[in-house]
Amino acid sequence: MIVSITLVKYKRFYIPFALLAMALHRLPLMLNKKCLFWKLMGCGKNAGFSMKPDWQLWATLAVWKDYQDLEHFQQHSWIADWWKKFSSDQWTLICEPLTSHGQWTGKEPFKQTENSSGSNYAGPVAVITRARIRPSKIKRFWSSVAKVASIMSESKGYVASFSMGEAPLYLQATLSVWESMDDVVNFAYHSAEHREVIKKTRDEDWYSEELFARFKPVASIGTINNKRPLGNIKLPDSNFNTRS
């Protein structure tokens, strides 16, 4: 199983095409039998954890059976052609699932397989957290997570992160990349601020659905704001024909 997360930054003049893509891109993804799961999402301002949307930056997450199916999509789909035509920047992170807990719209898109190497993997780690926030808890959620987001960017082993979501305010996901699994664990369980938020989510029942998944990043392709989001971090070898 292969997971691709593509961030596309549209030229300001083409923002209407970005909004249109949220409607038009659903059908070809739905009809693509090689795409096992997909989500079209907007992003927070400056790619951060913000209630304000970034109208130029949009995300597409997709799950594929293998590298060949992903590569065929990137080379032959009109969605990929759309991105090339209307974007000023495009970045794709390609991953292999390690572990996953929870559901996304009632499905387990990154469910661990028998061949998963999550228990003995050593190397950079990508993390996706996603939640459906109960309407009555939206204010509590946003007032609590802003501080955690700022602390995360200063934590040991932090590489990059992006906030995204299927809908403003209550359908939220975060993609973060870390240098190692130890760095993920240290931030998740040893940060007092993060532990406090986790406790609140349980005690106050913030979410009606949530998912937490870890991945092995195997390729980073392209740029955002003319920069490579992962910098010079070295990724594990993969079967994918990566491009700079």
Side-chain angles (χ1 to χ4, degrees):
M1 179 187 294
I2 303 301
V3 178
S4 63
I5 305 103
T6 298
L7 295 180
V8 177
K9 184 170 184 178
Y10 286 80
K11 300 172 184 177
R12 189 176 298 276
F13 183 77
Y14 289 142
I15 287 178
F17 290 92
L19 297 169
L20 186 61
M22 291 292 283
L24 294 183
H25 290 185
R26 295 177 182 275
L27 185 59
L29 287 169
M30 192 181 303
L31 296 177
N32 188 338
K33 298 188 182 302
K34 295 181 179 180
C35 186
L36 307 178
F37 181 86
W38 58 270
K39 289 295 173 183
L40 301 175
M41 297 175 284
C43 295
K45 191 69 174 177
N46 298 319
F49 211 84
S50 170
M51 295 177 67
K52 296 181 179 180
D54 187 332
W55 298 109
Q56 290 182 260
L57 192 62
W58 301 80
T60 299
L61 179 147
V63 179
W64 311 88
K65 181 180 179 182
D66 53 39
Y67 291 100
Q68 289 71 31
D69 291 343
L70 169 58
E71 194 162 22
H72 185 273
F73 171 80
Q74 291 186 324
Q75 293 181 357
H76 302 290
S77 73
W78 74 270
I79 292 178
D81 291 338
W82 178 290
W83 290 338
K84 292 176 184 176
K85 183 174 183 178
F86 296 117
S87 71
S88 59
D89 251 346
Q90 180 182 327
W91 175 66
T92 297
L93 179 66
I94 301 170
C95 307
E96 296 176 359
L98 295 172
T99 61
S100 180
H101 305 283
Q103 295 186 332
W104 195 326
T105 55
K107 298 181 180 179
E108 298 180 67
F110 317 120
K111 190 172 182 179
Q112 191 175 10
T113 65
E114 293 180 1
N115 295 325
S116 173
S117 57
S119 59
N120 55 17
Y121 171 69
V125 178
V127 177
I128 290 179
T129 59
R130 187 266 181 184
R132 179 184 293 270
I133 307 160
R134 298 185 189 278
S136 61
K137 306 298 181 181
I138 289 176
K139 185 177 180 179
R140 290 284 289 160
F141 171 84
W142 284 102
S143 64
S144 299
V145 298
K147 185 176 181 180
V148 173
S150 64
I151 292 172
M152 178 174 67
S153 63
E154 299 173 358
S155 298
K156 179 181 178 297
Y158 169 87
V159 178
S161 63
F162 299 91
S163 170
M164 54 192 74
E166 303 139 86
L169 299 182
Y170 77 100
L171 293 178
Q172 289 296 317
T174 301
L175 166 69
S176 60
V177 182
W178 303 78
E179 293 180 0
S180 72
M181 192 73 77
D182 286 343
D183 294 325
V184 174
V185 172
N186 286 335
F187 170 72
Y189 300 109
H190 297 161
S191 163
E193 293 83 1
H194 192 258
R195 288 202 313 270
E196 181 181 355
V197 169
I198 292 176
K199 186 176 186 300
K200 287 181 180 179
T201 65
R202 301 291 181 260
D203 294 346
E204 301 177 18
D205 195 23
W206 286 2
Y207 308 141
S208 58
E209 183 183 60
E210 60 181 312
L211 177 143
F212 178 81
R214 295 171 178 172
F215 303 85
K216 169 186 175 181
V218 294
S220 174
I221 304 168
T223 61
I224 288 293
N225 295 323
N226 295 316
K227 296 180 181 179
R228 301 178 66 178
L230 304 193
N232 296 321
I233 188 171
K234 293 183 178 180
L235 298 182
D237 293 337
S238 75
N239 296 321
F240 195 83
N241 181 24
T242 60
R243 302 181 296 275
S244 299

